[in-house]
C-alpha cells in the first residue's frame, strides 16, 4: 500500500493505469522495463480483484491534480535508478583505489568491510543481465579490474569484486567480448 499523510491508502492498479496511460495492447501483455512479467500479471490480477466486491458498481474517475502529484512523487522517490547507483559504487571503488595507490595515504578511505558491502550490493544489481550490460556500457568493468589487480587492496575486497565480475560475464556474451 502507498501511504499518504497519517492514513493508509491502497492505490488500485486501474488508478495507476489512468495516471500513467499506456497503449491498450501493452497494458496486460507486457510489463514495464525492469519489471518481472509474472509479477506484473499477478499485480494486475490482484488489483482487479480489489476493484469490485460485488456489492455495488465500481465507478472510475480521473485522478485529481493533487492525487496525481502525490502519486508521481511516491513513484519518483520510491524508484532507485540502479544504473546510477552502480556508477556511484564504481566511483567509491575508484576513490578507494586512488587512496590505496597514492603516496600520501593520509586520506580517509572506505574500510574493507564497507567495500565488501558495496561489492555485494553491486553484485545484487548486476545479477540482472540488463544491469550487467549497463555496467559494461558505463565503463565499470575497467575500474573493477584495477581493484582486483591492486595488491594493496584487502583480499576480501578483491574477492568481492571478482564475484561481481563473475556475475557480469556469466551468460553475458556482450560483457565477454568487450575490451576494458
Amino acid at each position: 500500500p502507498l501511504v499518504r499523510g497519517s492514513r493508509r491508502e491502497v492505490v488500485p492498479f486501474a488508478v495507476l493505469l489512468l495516471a500513467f496511460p499506456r497503449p491498450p495492447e501493452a497494458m496486460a501483455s507486457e510489463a514495464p522495463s525492469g519489471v518481472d512479467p509474472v509479477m506484473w500479471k499477478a499485480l494486475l490480477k490482484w488489483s482487479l480483484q480489489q476493484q469490485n466486491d460485488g456489492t455495488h458498481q465500481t465507478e472510475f474517475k480521473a485522478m485529481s491534480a493533487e492525487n496525481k502529484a502525490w502519486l508521481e512523487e511516491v513513484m519518483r522517490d520510491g524508484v532507485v535508478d540502479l544504473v546510477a547507483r552502480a556508477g556511484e559504487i564504481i566511483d567509491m571503488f575508484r576513490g578507494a583505489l586512488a587512496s590505496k595507490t597514492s603516496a600520501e595515504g593520509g586520506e580517509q578511505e572506505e574500510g574493507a568491510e564497507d567495500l565488501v558491502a558495496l561489492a555485494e550490493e553491486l553484485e545484487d544489481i548486476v545479477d540482472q543481465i540488463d544491469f550487467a550490460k549497463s555496467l559494461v556500457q558505463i565503463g565499470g568493468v575497467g575500474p573493477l579490474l584495477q581493484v582486483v589487480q591492486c595488491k594493496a587492496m584487502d583480499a576480501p575486497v578483491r574477492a568481492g569484486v571478482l564475484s561481481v565480475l563473475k556475475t557480469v560475464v556469466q551468460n553475458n556474451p556482450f560483457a565477454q567480448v568487450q575490451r576494458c
Side-chain angles (χ1 to χ4, degrees), residues 7 13 28 32 53-54 66 71 76-78 99 104 123-126 129 134 138 152-153 158 162 166:
R7 60 186 177 152
F13 189 76
D53 63 3
E66 176 188 349
L71 182 59
R76 181 181 60 249
D77 293 343
S99 178
E104 300 167 8
E123 186 170 11
D124 288 343
I125 292 171
V126 300
I129 193 155
S134 295
I138 65 171
M153 196 63 72
R158 294 168 63 197
L162 276 171
K166 170 228 15 147

Side-chain angles (χ1 to χ4, degrees), residues 3 7 9 24 45 47 64 71 78 94 111 123 127 132 157 171:
V3 179
R7 60 186 177 152
E9 294 183 41
K45 182 178 177 183
S47 183
S64 69
L71 182 59
R94 281 187 181 117
E123 186 170 11
D127 198 32
V157 174
N171 299 321

Side-chain angles (χ1 to χ4, degrees), residues 6-169:
S6 61
R7 60 186 177 152
R8 291 174 59 126
E9 294 183 41
V10 175
V11 179
F13 189 76
V15 173
L16 291 173
L17 293 176
L18 288 173
F20 302 99
R22 300 177 64 202
E25 63 276 0
M27 284 188 198
S29 64
E30 67 180 62
S33 177
V35 176
D36 180 10
V38 174
M39 296 303 291
W40 181 253
K41 287 183 180 181
L43 177 61
L44 174 62
K45 182 178 177 183
W46 175 86
S47 183
L48 291 174
Q49 290 172 350
Q50 306 306 311
Q51 296 302 312
N52 190 348
D53 63 3
T55 60
H56 63 280
Q57 183 75 18
T58 303
E59 295 181 26
F60 293 103
K61 57 184 177 182
M63 291 181 78
S64 69
E66 176 188 349
N67 284 347
K68 188 172 182 178
W70 171 79
L71 182 59
E72 287 174 350
E73 179 183 344
V74 168
M75 298 297 281
R76 181 181 60 249
D77 293 343
V79 175
V80 176
D81 182 349
L82 294 177
V83 176
R85 179 62 184 146
E88 292 170 4
I89 293 172
I90 294 298
D91 289 341
M92 289 181 206
F93 276 114
R94 281 187 181 117
L97 188 62
S99 178
K100 287 282 187 182
T101 58
S102 71
E104 300 167 8
E107 296 178 26
Q108 182 67 22
E109 60 187 55
E110 296 280 336
E113 290 179 7
D114 294 335
L115 291 172
V116 169
L118 287 171
E120 290 172 358
E121 181 182 354
L122 186 57
E123 186 170 11
D124 288 343
I125 292 171
V126 300
D127 198 32
Q128 294 183 11
I129 193 155
D130 291 335
F131 293 120
K133 289 178 182 178
S134 295
L135 184 75
V136 173
Q137 291 170 336
I138 65 171
V141 174
L144 293 177
L145 287 172
Q146 291 174 350
V147 169
V148 170
Q149 294 169 347
C150 178
K151 301 292 185 202
M153 196 63 72
D154 295 328
V157 174
R158 294 168 63 197
V161 170
L162 276 171
S163 186
V164 171
L165 291 168
K166 170 228 15 147
T167 302
V168 168
V169 299

